[in-house]
Amino acid sequence: GETILVVEDDALVRSALVDVLKTLGYHAIEAADGQAALALYEQHTGTIALVLSDWVMPAMGGLELVQALQTRDPTLKVLMLTGHPLSQETRETVPPNVVGWTLKPPSLEQLARDLHKALA
């Protein structure tokens, strides 16, 4: 029943993620980019348990979004989505509120496991 903010610039992927989250019993709020995500976060402060965000997005990418969210709430957890393999150096340079990485497209089972682990 936790609320998850989904940030994904591809409308079809975003819609599919929201549908999967609802199937898994989560409440989903969706944003098409990092700037919209920040506005939604401000509107829903205190209710968002996790941010599920794409890493590569136009205007404001995942790293910028994570950094902006961390200044607002250092305890807010972020699970990153990426379609690209990440180097160990990239993983080591992101803020500590990034609690995991999921390769796109995730299976229902993989996403459920990653969400459970991130929220635990």
Side-chain angles (χ1 to χ4, degrees):
E2 292 99 342
T3 299
I4 297 176
L5 174 56
V6 178
V7 189
E8 169 61 57
D9 60 311
D10 184 307
L12 291 175
V13 173
R14 187 174 63 250
S15 178
L17 287 168
V18 167
D19 288 345
V20 167
L21 291 173
K22 289 178 181 177
T23 298
L24 294 171
Y26 296 101
H27 176 69
I29 302 169
E30 56 185 293
D33 58 48
Q35 294 167 338
L38 289 177
L40 285 170
Y41 176 79
E42 296 297 333
Q43 293 174 12
H44 298 276
T45 299
T47 62
I48 296 172
L50 178 81
V51 175
L52 178 62
S53 177
D54 191 7
W55 182 247
V56 178
M57 296 181 289
M60 178 184 278
L63 179 58
E64 292 171 294
L65 174 60
V66 168
Q67 291 168 335
L69 289 169
Q70 187 178 34
T71 63
R72 288 161 174 79
D73 180 0
T75 65
L76 181 64
K77 297 176 181 180
V78 180
L79 179 61
M80 298 305 305
L81 290 167
T82 182
H84 310 282
L86 297 171
S87 68
Q88 188 61 31
E89 179 181 335
T90 299
R91 292 175 190 252
E92 291 172 356
T93 59
V94 296
N97 56 334
V98 174
V99 295
W101 299 86
T102 300
L103 288 175
K104 290 195 289 187
S107 68
L108 177 66
E109 295 80 13
Q110 183 65 47
L111 186 57
R113 278 193 305 271
D114 291 345
L115 289 169
H116 178 73
K117 182 178 175 184
L119 290 165

